[in-house]
Amino acid sequence: MISNQVLQTTLDGLKSISRVDLCVLDTEGIMLATTFPEAEKFRDSVIGFADSPADSQVVSGCQFIKVFDEHQLEYILLANGNSDNVHMVGQMAAFQIQNLLVAYKERFDKDNFIKNLLLDNLLLVDIYNRAKKLHIDTDAKRIVFLLEIDHEKDSTAMESVRTLFGTRSNDFITAVDEKSIIVVKELGPQESYDDMEKTAEMILNSLGEERKEHALIAYGTIVNEIKEVSRSYKEARMALNVGKIFFEERSVIAYSSLGIGRLIYQLPIPLCKMFIREIFDGKSPDDFDEETLTTINKFFENSLNVSETSRQLYIHRNTLVYRLDKLQKSTGLDLRVFEDAITFKIALMVVKYMKYMENQEY
């Protein structure tokens, strides 16, 4: 269905060209858009005209014209005046609205197809048959972006993203839930992942400064066939969730950059708990004091470099060595040994994952 705003914009444009007042009402006589409020007085006449066999007629000096959508009466158009010129403008306006109905229906059909494609609700044969009917290229390179704003999508954000991609008919902007906006973008032959990072930033910037601060965007991998678009969507969804856990400082998260976080995210919680019990002997990293945690994180940030870590912490090298020795005694893991450092790092990430999942349950 065409929005009232689009109908109003159409009538305003036609009036500015023709100087003829126009009004669109539904079949129950409710005014949807108008350039002359006086059209309200024709409401009873519109209801009677809707039930009549005539496609157009003049009532009280006003042209009444029916607008159909595939033989189904959709609107009644009024053109104020009874001259031949007004009749012609009215017919042109009806034709314009009829074309808008066709365009919006095609857009709805495409949107419905993309939603079902993303959610794996289509058989393989249906994907290619429907894509062909909707004139959607099946072999184009595509990638899926997933945008989340304040955990609650709003129409303004959706329109901002639509405006950004408005001139590109091969891109699709849709949603499958109340929390996010999905962009299925068709790529040119030379576009790469570096370009995707820039596109993600453009999408964020289109929201404006206030919304941008509370937004996250993730994207999957580039796919070459339409049947693989759902995979890119699932990757973007995972990237968004994993990013919230392990990359809190980022507003743009690529699936390809998730690293070991992607594997941890797929572990069952009981297995995680067992792993932590084995590594820390019933303890938890939460039991470490703030000084120890700061030392550990800074040591990892500096790739296990003792000298650089002690410099950034403003402590003597021997003080850092003492802290690492103390940690080794309590955990059995020496962070200066690569294998132990890896084990410790994974354990910290597992604990972070467990905390996140625990909070999601409440």
Side-chain angles (χ1 to χ4, degrees), residues 70-316:
E70 291 186 356
H71 308 295
Q72 174 72 36
L73 181 60
E74 195 69 38
Y75 301 119
I76 306 297
L77 174 77
L78 307 187
N80 194 24
N82 58 6
S83 67
D84 289 343
N85 181 59
V86 171
H87 177 74
M88 180 182 69
V89 171
Q91 291 291 349
M92 290 174 65
F95 180 73
Q96 175 70 11
I97 293 170
Q98 209 154 17
N99 283 336
L100 283 174
L101 283 169
V102 173
Y104 269 70
K105 181 174 286 188
E106 182 176 320
R107 174 172 157 179
F108 174 79
D109 288 344
K110 285 185 175 181
D111 187 66
N112 188 49
F113 168 69
I114 292 296
K115 284 180 180 177
N116 284 301
L117 178 67
L118 293 169
L119 297 173
D120 275 337
N121 289 338
L122 298 171
L123 296 173
L124 187 61
V125 65
D126 291 334
I127 291 174
Y128 286 94
N129 285 340
R130 291 187 63 182
K132 184 177 180 181
K133 288 179 182 178
L134 294 169
H135 308 291
I136 298 173
D137 189 353
T138 57
D139 295 322
K141 284 171 58 180
R142 293 184 174 88
I143 193 167
V144 176
F145 293 88
L146 186 61
L147 174 68
E148 188 174 280
I149 308 165
D150 265 344
H151 308 290
E152 195 64 39
K153 182 178 84 269
D154 62 60
S155 58
T156 307
M158 176 72 88
E159 285 308 310
S160 297
V161 178
R162 285 194 191 280
T163 301
L164 181 64
F165 293 91
T167 58
R168 293 178 56 92
S169 61
N170 297 328
D171 297 329
F172 302 99
I173 295 88
T174 188
V176 295
D177 57 39
E178 292 302 315
K179 294 183 178 181
S180 51
I181 297 168
I182 302 165
V183 177
V184 182
K185 186 178 187 304
E186 184 173 315
L187 309 182
Q190 304 303 320
E191 288 188 280
S192 65
Y193 284 107
D194 289 340
D195 299 305
M196 297 309 97
E197 193 76 13
K198 294 173 185 175
T199 300
E201 291 287 353
M202 282 172 53
I203 294 172
L204 283 179
N205 290 334
S206 73
L207 303 174
E209 287 302 320
E210 188 175 341
R211 285 191 181 86
K212 179 183 174 182
E213 289 181 8
H214 306 285
L216 281 175
I217 187 166
Y219 57 92
T221 55
I222 296 172
V223 298
N224 296 308
E225 291 185 64
I226 197 165
K227 67 179 181 180
E228 297 177 325
V229 166
S230 64
R231 173 166 62 82
S232 188
Y233 167 66
K234 290 171 188 172
E235 292 169 348
R237 174 68 68 186
M238 179 181 284
L240 195 71
N241 292 333
V242 174
K244 290 176 186 176
I245 305 171
F246 301 120
F247 306 104
E248 297 158 298
E249 73 286 354
R250 296 188 197 173
S251 56
V252 177
I253 307 116
Y255 176 78
S256 59
S257 69
L258 297 180
I260 199 168
R262 174 160 55 99
L263 297 177
I264 293 172
Y265 181 74
Q266 298 178 79
L267 292 175
I269 295 298
L271 184 62
C272 292
K273 289 180 178 178
M274 184 177 69
F275 175 71
I276 295 302
R277 279 198 305 270
E278 291 174 354
I279 296 299
F280 295 110
D281 193 25
K283 298 178 183 177
S284 168
D286 293 339
D287 299 332
F288 298 142
D289 57 57
E290 190 64 33
E291 180 184 82
T292 302
L293 286 172
T294 302
T295 301
I296 293 167
N297 291 327
K298 188 62 70 174
F299 195 52
F300 283 136
E301 282 177 24
N302 290 289
S303 304
L304 314 184
N305 187 308
V306 174
S307 299
E308 185 60 24
T309 303
S310 59
R311 188 185 70 79
Q312 291 190 20
L313 288 173
Y314 303 102
I315 60 176
H316 194 276

Side-chain angles (χ1 to χ4, degrees), residues 20-32:
V20 173
D21 276 312
L22 301 163
C23 178
V24 175
L25 304 95
D26 65 15
T27 54
E28 296 178 355
I30 297 173
M31 190 182 296
L32 305 177

